[in-house]
Amino acid sequence: MLKKYDVEPQAYRDAMAHFAGAVHVVTTDGAAGRRGATVIAACSVSDTPPMILVCLNRENPNNELFVKNGNFALNTLAAHHQELAAAFSGITRLPTEERFALGEWKTIASGAPTLSDALAVFDCELIDTKDLATHRVLFGKVTGLRVSNNFKPLIYHDRGYHVLGR
């Protein structure tokens, strides 16, 4: 039963649909295996040292691979990555190998796959995690970067993908 000031989960999700966010694919690879997931819950923590955070649903057991591998790359998607974003979100039900086959991947420093034509890539060593409610927050020290200024960013808003124009 909800308390007087509690917010219903569906009402919260409906309100969050009005939140526009950059679309990313967060990836990992290592002894535990390869994994990728589409996220918008990611942001900068610090520039000295460079650190970012990513929020992942911990109710998905496959997301344990990020912790077990100890690395991740945050790949910021461009407008032409809508198919890739959908695949890594899981709605297409493609197996992992087929999801990764939709892009060209390279490694920089951590061993995590980085998307060659991403708008920006933040290659990270996992330095800490925090479990809160349904999600796990991954904190990563940025060990490598790649930036491309030639693309328009992919945005998620109102339960759909959109292109932010320049």
Side-chain angles (χ1 to χ4, degrees), residues 16-24 39-42 76-77 153-158 160-162 164:
M16 286 302 296
H18 296 284
F19 179 86
V23 182
H24 314 274
V39 299
I40 62 167
T76 304
L77 301 186
L154 184 62
I155 303 296
Y156 192 78
H157 176 258
D158 198 22
Y161 296 114
H162 304 276
L164 185 62

Side-chain angles (χ1 to χ4, degrees), residues 125-138:
E125 169 193 348
L126 180 66
I127 60 166
D128 200 2
T129 65
K130 171 74 175 167
D131 290 351
L132 191 60
T134 58
H135 281 65
R136 172 169 290 147
V137 183
L138 307 179

